[in-house]
Amino acid sequence: MDNFEFYRPTKYYFGRKIEENVGSYIKESGKSRVLIVFGGGSCVKSGLLARVEKSLNDLGIFYVEIGGVKPNPRADLVYKAITLGREKDVDFILAVGGGSVIDTAKAAAIGIVNDGDFFDDFFIGGKTVTKALQTGVVLTIPAAGSEGSNSAVIQKEINGKIIKQGLSTQFNVPLFTVMDPELTVTLSNYQTACGAVDMMAHVMERYFTNTKDVSITDRLCEAVLLSIIETVPRVLADPTNYEARANLMWAGTLAHNNMCGVGREQDWATHHLEHQLSALYDVAHGAGLAVMFPAWMEYTFSHNVMRFAQFANRVFGVTMDFEDPSRTAKQGINALRSFFKSIGMPLSFADIGAKAEDIPRMLNFLGIDDHTEGHFMVLNRADCEQIYKIAATYHC
């Protein structure tokens, strides 16, 4: 196990109607001027935003709002949030929504109190974050895990090139997160399944590692994966199943708050490969990951056959073939694809409207000529091209 530091100060409030108390949670933090960031009309139509506003109004907390966050969040709205936040002298940002809303809030929290360009300087420029406003979350979509993570991902078009870039810093970790599983009942089966794939990918980016003797986090990863695999079909069969929703919601947080990843080298190549799909085709991140992760696995499993065989055996119950563990590994990849298909997820470029002829463009967006991708198996441009081709040519 590698040396590590692990600090996640987020306080979680979990349960039915807990969002009605969000004003008191902000009050406890000593903040009094809030920027509320939200997405489309769902939180308005459901009455959630009104309940949040009432909670703040009841305690005399000043707030302004900015909506319109889209999936694969854009820098344009972050700039608007920064301008509004500075004009109104806010001292706290509350995200009401899922991962895209939360990431927009995190980016604005950095931009409001720092000089320069939040994206050019911090997200791609490498400038170290030394201060940011605190953020809180009212979670509506269990998927990205941003409600408990130190990361945020934003995309921006620069000189005709769409750049989707993440930034990890302790300043991104929310102060608190409000989690009411009932808020997720209105999600479509497709959104729910996309979220589940995103959670699984967050775990698998940590699971496939070169670090030796990490049995405790191996078992944590496997437990979260098994729970997701068990729970998603129950949610899809009965979207009103509160207990199943609750387990899935908490799994999303555990998948990405790094509890499963401490002390071990992590990969993240698949996420970067998928970012180019969602940037170019505006597909849901989870859907893109369902296409890319098995393709990455198919290309890299020979790097450490026994780790993939262990995954197949422990997560999908594939019988270990000790004479030919590669057979077990391949069966595990097939089992993952079968699970994704069973919950309505795409498996190939054709399923998401992507085109093989666009692969050179994806590689250019990835900027792979300037660096390598991943850590489990270090990938160059030719490797990434082959993984994209596997995803492009896969047929059920």
Side-chain angles (χ1 to χ4, degrees), residues 255-301:
H256 201 37
N257 70 355
N258 211 36
M259 187 177 293
C260 294
V262 294
R264 56 196 294 148
E265 180 186 68
Q266 302 178 20
D267 191 70
W268 298 101
T270 307
H271 263 70
H272 297 162
L273 290 165
E274 192 290 320
H275 283 166
Q276 314 321 311
L277 290 180
S278 55
L280 189 58
Y281 300 105
D282 205 24
V283 299
H285 182 48
L289 286 169
V291 172
M292 291 309 305
F293 225 109
W296 174 86
M297 295 170 81
E298 189 173 321
Y299 187 78
T300 63
F301 83 91

Side-chain angles (χ1 to χ4, degrees), residues 110 114 117-129 167:
I110 292 170
N114 286 283
D117 187 289
F118 88 92
F119 194 85
D120 297 351
D121 292 341
F122 294 101
F123 275 71
I124 63 175
K127 186 176 179 180
T128 301
V129 180
L167 173 67

Side-chain angles (χ1 to χ4, degrees), residues 360-371:
R361 193 177 176 193
M362 296 175 206
L363 293 169
N364 290 337
F365 283 1
L366 188 63
I368 193 64
D369 291 330
D370 300 329
H371 67 280

Side-chain angles (χ1 to χ4, degrees), residues 38-49 68-69:
F38 62 97
S42 60
C43 72
V44 177
K45 294 176 183 176
S46 69
L48 170 61
L49 188 60
V69 178

Side-chain angles (χ1 to χ4, degrees), residues 298-377:
E298 189 173 321
Y299 187 78
T300 63
F301 83 91
S302 59
H303 174 72
N304 187 338
V305 170
M306 286 306 297
R307 176 143 289 273
F308 279 88
Q310 176 180 290
F311 170 84
N313 174 253
R314 293 184 180 179
V315 177
F316 285 102
V318 178
T319 301
M320 181 67 76
D321 186 336
F322 290 100
E323 293 185 2
D324 186 5
S326 65
R327 180 179 298 177
T328 306
K330 291 176 183 177
Q331 289 177 339
I333 298 169
N334 290 335
L336 181 65
R337 279 194 171 112
S338 295
F339 175 73
F340 287 165
K341 184 178 180 180
S342 74
I343 62 173
M345 285 289 94
L347 299 177
S348 69
F349 270 25
D351 293 339
I352 58 173
K355 301 176 182 178
E357 54 263 37
D358 286 335
I359 290 176
R361 193 177 176 193
M362 296 175 206
L363 293 169
N364 290 337
F365 283 1
L366 188 63
I368 193 64
D369 291 330
D370 300 329
H371 67 280
T372 56
E373 286 292 343
H375 298 280
F376 176 71
M377 176 178 171

